[in-house]
Amino acid sequence: MMPYLRHLALPLLCGCALLSGCAAPPLRLYTLGMPSDQNTQQQPPRLSAHATTVLISRVVLPDYLDTQDIVIRNGEEIVRSPKSRWATRLSLGITDLITNEISLSHPTALITDQPLADTATLRVQINISRFDVDTDGHAVLDANWAIMPQDPNQPLIRNRAHLTETGPLTSDAEMAALMRKLVITLADNVNASFPPHL
């Protein structure tokens, strides 16, 4: 009698597990997004053989942020979203957005975060020491950056920024939008540090 009950219990347990798995909401994936394509009909200008090249190195983030987890700060506690994630590691998403934002301001230069065939005219390293969004909708980003010229006779440019933003946080989509605003502001600050001849 007992072996029969054991055989009957196994399919019931599997069925319950499947039903509970089906009840979970689908996982949502977010990116920091791309700049709006205002000139999608226009062909970008051709790059000359002597075009300035700028390599944006991968942004450095604190370890607890550089994951695919979407997290929010509640005092000393870091809370992970149970229903949403970044589509890629956050450092890659930030690097991609900054690269695209800066490239919009320099259509005749090659601004990239991908490997180059030769040494870049300028190399940019961005370090984010704090990027927190709290449960009240306050976001803070602290960063420093260096712009390093290929020519050793040219000066190294260093700068930093403390950025803040507020907004509603009723969804993970709103949190992603709030973080996007801060990253775009950071990109504008880095862009303003470039040498005037770029």
Side-chain angles (χ1 to χ4, degrees), residues 7 25 36 48 64 100 105 114 118 120 123 136-137 178 190:
H7 289 299
S36 60
S48 79
Y64 75 92
N100 282 288
S105 301
Q114 302 300 311
D118 55 0
R123 189 169 66 84
D136 294 326
L178 186 61
V190 173

Side-chain angles (χ1 to χ4, degrees), residues 67-171:
T67 69
Q68 285 184 259
D69 294 331
I70 294 179
V71 298
I72 192 166
R73 180 175 284 282
N74 184 14
E76 297 299 316
E77 184 182 8
I78 301 297
V79 182
R80 182 178 66 180
S81 171
K83 56 190 176 188
S84 304
R85 296 187 63 152
W86 297 114
T88 185
R89 291 181 77 94
L90 188 56
S91 61
L92 293 173
I94 292 173
T95 305
D96 185 55
L97 180 55
I98 289 174
T99 302
N100 282 288
E101 282 296 312
I102 292 175
S103 66
L104 290 176
S105 301
H106 306 282
T108 60
L110 175 60
I111 316 287
T112 184
D113 55 10
Q114 302 300 311
L116 291 166
D118 55 0
T119 305
T121 312
L122 296 171
R123 189 169 66 84
V124 180
Q125 178 61 59
I126 302 167
N127 305 309
I128 295 176
S129 57
R130 180 183 179 193
F131 196 6
D132 286 328
V133 181
D134 68 22
T135 51
D136 294 326
H138 300 292
V140 178
L141 190 157
D142 289 328
N144 63 75
W145 60 91
I147 300 172
M148 296 155 277
Q150 177 187 18
D151 182 354
N153 297 316
Q154 296 297 316
L156 176 72
I157 299 169
R158 284 195 176 96
N159 213 333
R160 62 185 174 191
H162 171 75
L163 308 172
T164 61
E165 190 73 55
T166 58
L169 279 185
T170 58
S171 68

Side-chain angles (χ1 to χ4, degrees), residues 13-29:
L13 286 172
C14 290
C16 289
L18 285 172
L19 285 174
S20 65
C22 293
L27 185 68
R28 292 183 179 272
L29 296 178

